[in-house]
Amino acid sequence: QVQLVESGGGLVQPGGSLRLSCTTSISILNFDAVSWYRQAPGKQRDFIATTTDTNFTRYTDSVKGRFTILRDNARNTVYLQMNSLEPEDTAVYFCNTLKRGGLGPWGKGTLVTVSS
């Protein structure tokens, strides 16, 4: 059972930047992909971005050009660099792993609040 720890959330002003970290208890190379998701208040949890074990990336349209997903295999960490943040980005951000058999467990997430 892999454990995930999301960190780096906080309060940021519109237009600002934040970098989130997702650190796993085992090598991220054990997984086909690691992805970021977010859940805004009163909304469903949505996919944001993914990075595969071969370092291909994909993003949902609303964050393209603003967010970048990065992996550091040596540190068992996947980052989400978020730039040009808007109030609509306010949400709890989660990461999760994907391999044959499905998704791994959900962590507690990290809260990002974008407000002036």
Side-chain angles (χ1 to χ4, degrees):
Q1 180 87 20
V2 63
Q3 295 184 79
L4 310 172
V5 179
E6 301 100 337
S7 62
L11 176 64
V12 64
Q13 293 185 334
S17 297
L18 211 57
R19 188 176 75 165
L20 307 183
S21 298
C22 170
T23 299
T24 59
S25 59
I26 60 175
S27 173
I28 58 176
L29 293 174
N30 285 286
F31 309 104
D32 295 319
V34 181
S35 302
W36 282 97
Y37 305 78
R38 67 186 180 188
Q39 187 168 22
K43 305 279 285 186
Q44 67 182 16
R45 182 165 51 223
D46 290 328
F47 166 83
I48 304 168
T50 192
T51 174
T52 71
D53 56 356
T54 54
N55 207 27
F56 285 92
T57 59
R58 185 172 68 86
Y59 302 87
T60 193
D61 286 344
S62 62
V63 307
K64 285 180 180 176
R66 300 190 299 124
F67 292 8
T68 303
I69 189 168
L70 302 162
R71 61 164 58 224
D72 187 336
N73 296 328
R75 295 182 182 272
N76 296 338
T77 299
V78 173
Y79 303 98
L80 185 68
Q81 178 66 47
M82 306 185 295
N83 299 325
S84 302
L85 285 163
E86 301 293 339
E88 292 75 19
D89 296 314
T90 296
V92 177
Y93 285 70
F94 302 87
C95 64
N96 212 329
T97 58
L98 176 67
K99 62 179 181 180
R100 298 190 71 173
L103 293 171
W106 294 101
K108 295 181 179 180
T110 184
L111 176 63
V112 172
T113 302
V114 184
S115 177
S116 58

